[in-house]
Coordinates of all heavy atoms in Angstrom, one line a residue:
M241 N 0.8 -1.1 0.1 CA 0.1 0.1 0.0 C 0.9 1.2 0.0 O 2.1 1.2 0.4 CB -0.7 0.0 1.3 CG -0.9 -1.3 1.9 SD -1.1 -2.7 1.4 CE -1.3 -4.1 1.9
R243 N 1.8 2.7 1.6 CA 2.0 2.7 3.0 C 1.1 3.5 3.7 O 1.3 3.9 4.8 CB 3.4 3.2 3.4 CG 4.5 2.2 2.9 CD 4.1 1.0 2.5 NE 3.1 0.5 3.4 CZ 2.7 -0.8 3.7 NH1 3.3 -1.7 3.0 NH2 1.8 -1.1 4.5
K244 N -0.1 3.7 3.1 CA -1.2 4.1 3.9 C -2.1 3.0 4.1 O -3.2 3.2 4.0 CB -2.0 5.1 2.9 CG -1.1 6.4 2.8 CD -1.9 7.4 2.1 CE -1.1 8.6 2.1 NZ -1.4 9.5 1.1
R245 N -1.5 1.9 4.1 CA -2.2 0.7 4.3 C -2.8 0.6 5.7 O -2.0 0.1 6.7 CB -1.2 -0.4 4.0 CG -1.7 -1.6 4.7 CD -0.8 -2.7 4.5 NE -1.6 -3.7 4.7 CZ -1.3 -5.0 4.5 NH1 -0.1 -5.2 4.2 NH2 -2.2 -5.9 4.8
T246 N -4.0 1.0 6.0 CA -4.5 0.9 7.2 C -5.1 -0.7 7.3 O -5.8 -1.0 8.3 CB -5.7 1.8 7.4 OG1 -6.8 1.4 6.5 CG2 -5.3 3.2 7.2
M247 N -5.1 -1.3 6.2 CA -5.5 -2.5 6.2 C -4.4 -3.4 6.1 O -3.6 -3.2 5.1 CB -6.5 -2.7 4.9 CG -6.5 -1.6 4.1 SD -7.8 -0.5 4.3 CE -9.1 -1.3 3.6
I248 N -4.4 -4.5 6.9 CA -3.0 -5.1 6.9 C -3.0 -6.5 6.9 O -4.0 -7.2 6.7 CB -2.4 -4.4 8.0 CG1 -2.3 -2.9 7.8 CG2 -0.9 -4.9 8.2 CD1 -1.7 -2.1 8.8
I249 N -2.4 -7.2 7.6 CA -1.1 -7.9 7.3 C -1.3 -9.4 7.0 O -2.1 -10.1 7.5 CB -0.4 -7.8 8.5 CG1 -0.2 -6.5 8.8 CG2 1.0 -8.6 8.4 CD1 0.3 -5.5 7.9
E324 N 4.2 -8.9 14.8 CA 4.3 -7.6 14.1 C 4.4 -6.4 15.0 O 5.4 -5.6 14.8 CB 3.3 -7.5 13.1 CG 3.3 -8.5 12.1 CD 1.9 -8.5 11.2 OE1 1.9 -7.8 10.2 OE2 1.1 -9.2 11.5
W328 N 7.8 -3.7 16.5 CA 8.1 -2.2 16.5 C 8.5 -1.8 17.9 O 9.5 -0.9 17.9 CB 6.8 -1.5 16.1 CG 6.6 -1.6 14.5 CD1 6.2 -2.6 13.9 CD2 6.9 -0.5 13.6 NE1 6.1 -2.2 12.4 CE2 6.5 -1.0 12.4 CE3 7.4 0.8 13.8 CZ2 6.6 -0.1 11.3 CZ3 7.5 1.6 12.7 CH2 7.2 1.1 11.3
E341 N 10.9 -6.8 6.7 CA 9.7 -6.8 5.9 C 8.4 -6.4 6.7 O 8.0 -7.0 7.6 CB 9.5 -8.2 5.3 CG 8.2 -8.2 4.5 CD 8.1 -9.5 3.7 OE1 9.0 -10.0 3.0 OE2 7.0 -10.2 3.8
D342 N 8.1 -5.1 6.4 CA 6.9 -4.6 7.1 C 5.8 -4.3 6.1 O 6.1 -3.7 5.1 CB 7.1 -3.3 7.9 CG 6.0 -2.9 8.7 OD1 5.7 -3.5 9.8 OD2 5.3 -2.0 8.3
W343 N 4.5 -4.7 6.4 CA 3.5 -4.5 5.4 C 2.5 -3.4 5.8 O 1.6 -3.1 5.2 CB 2.6 -5.8 5.5 CG 3.1 -6.9 4.9 CD1 4.3 -7.8 5.2 CD2 2.6 -7.6 3.7 NE1 4.5 -8.7 4.3 CE2 3.5 -8.8 3.4 CE3 1.6 -7.5 2.9 CZ2 3.2 -9.6 2.3 CZ3 1.3 -8.4 1.9 CH2 2.2 -9.4 1.6
G344 N 3.1 -2.5 6.7 CA 2.4 -1.2 6.9 C 1.7 -1.2 8.3 O 0.7 -1.8 8.5
H345 N 2.4 -0.4 9.2 CA 1.6 -0.1 10.4 C 1.5 1.5 10.7 O 2.6 1.9 11.3 CB 2.4 -0.8 11.5 CG 2.3 -2.3 11.5 ND1 3.1 -3.1 10.7 CD2 1.4 -3.1 12.3 CE1 2.7 -4.3 10.8 NE2 1.7 -4.4 11.8
P346 N 0.6 2.2 10.2 CA 0.6 3.7 10.2 C 0.7 4.2 11.6 O 1.4 5.1 11.9 CB -0.8 3.9 9.6 CG -1.2 2.8 8.6 CD -0.5 1.6 9.4
E347 N 0.1 3.5 12.7 CA 0.1 4.1 14.0 C 1.6 4.0 14.5 O 2.1 5.0 15.1 CB -0.8 3.4 14.9 CG -2.3 3.6 14.6 CD -3.2 2.8 15.7 OE1 -2.6 2.3 16.8 OE2 -4.3 2.8 15.5
Q348 N 2.2 2.9 14.3 CA 3.7 2.7 14.7 C 4.5 3.7 13.9 O 5.4 4.2 14.6 CB 4.0 1.3 14.5 CG 3.5 0.3 15.7 CD 2.0 0.2 15.6 OE1 1.5 0.2 14.6 NE2 1.4 -0.1 16.9
E349 N 4.3 3.9 12.6 CA 5.2 4.8 11.9 C 5.0 6.2 12.4 O 6.0 6.8 12.6 CB 4.7 4.6 10.4 CG 5.1 3.4 9.8 CD 4.5 3.4 8.3 OE1 4.4 4.4 7.7 OE2 3.8 2.3 8.0
V418 N -3.1 -9.0 11.6 CA -4.0 -8.0 11.6 C -4.6 -8.1 10.2 O -4.0 -7.9 9.1 CB -3.2 -6.6 11.6 CG1 -4.1 -5.5 11.7 CG2 -2.3 -6.6 12.8
T503 N 1.0 -3.2 -1.5 CA 2.1 -2.5 -0.7 C 3.4 -2.9 -0.9 O 3.8 -4.1 -0.9 CB 1.8 -3.2 0.7 OG1 0.4 -3.1 1.1 CG2 2.6 -2.5 1.9
P504 N 4.3 -1.8 -1.2 CA 5.7 -2.0 -1.4 C 6.2 -2.4 0.1 O 6.0 -1.4 0.9 CB 6.2 -0.7 -1.8 CG 4.9 0.0 -2.3 CD 3.8 -0.5 -1.6
L505 N 6.8 -3.4 0.3 CA 7.2 -3.9 1.7 C 8.5 -3.2 2.1 O 9.5 -3.0 1.3 CB 7.6 -5.4 1.7 CG 6.3 -6.3 1.0 CD1 6.7 -7.8 1.2 CD2 5.0 -5.9 1.8
Q506 N 8.4 -2.7 3.4 CA 9.5 -1.7 3.8 C 10.3 -2.3 4.8 O 10.0 -3.4 5.5 CB 8.7 -0.5 4.4 CG 7.7 0.1 3.5 CD 8.6 0.8 2.3 OE1 9.6 1.6 2.6 NE2 8.2 0.5 1.1
Y508 N 12.7 -1.2 8.4 CA 12.8 -0.3 9.2 C 14.1 -0.5 10.3 O 14.3 -1.7 10.4 CB 11.7 0.0 10.1 CG 10.5 0.6 9.3 CD1 9.6 -0.3 8.6 CD2 10.3 2.0 9.3 CE1 8.5 0.4 7.9 CE2 9.4 2.6 8.6 CZ 8.4 1.7 7.9 OH 7.5 2.4 7.1

Side-chain angles (χ1 to χ4, degrees):
M241 333 330 178
R243 286 348 321 195
K244 288 188 179 160
R245 153 182 206 180
T246 67
M247 0 257 299
I248 302 179
I249 302 312
E324 293 168 89
W328 279 80
E341 180 169 309
D342 185 81
W343 286 64
H345 290 82
E347 288 184 16
Q348 281 68 33
E349 290 173 44
V418 183
T503 310
L505 305 182
Q506 301 295 307
Y508 288 95

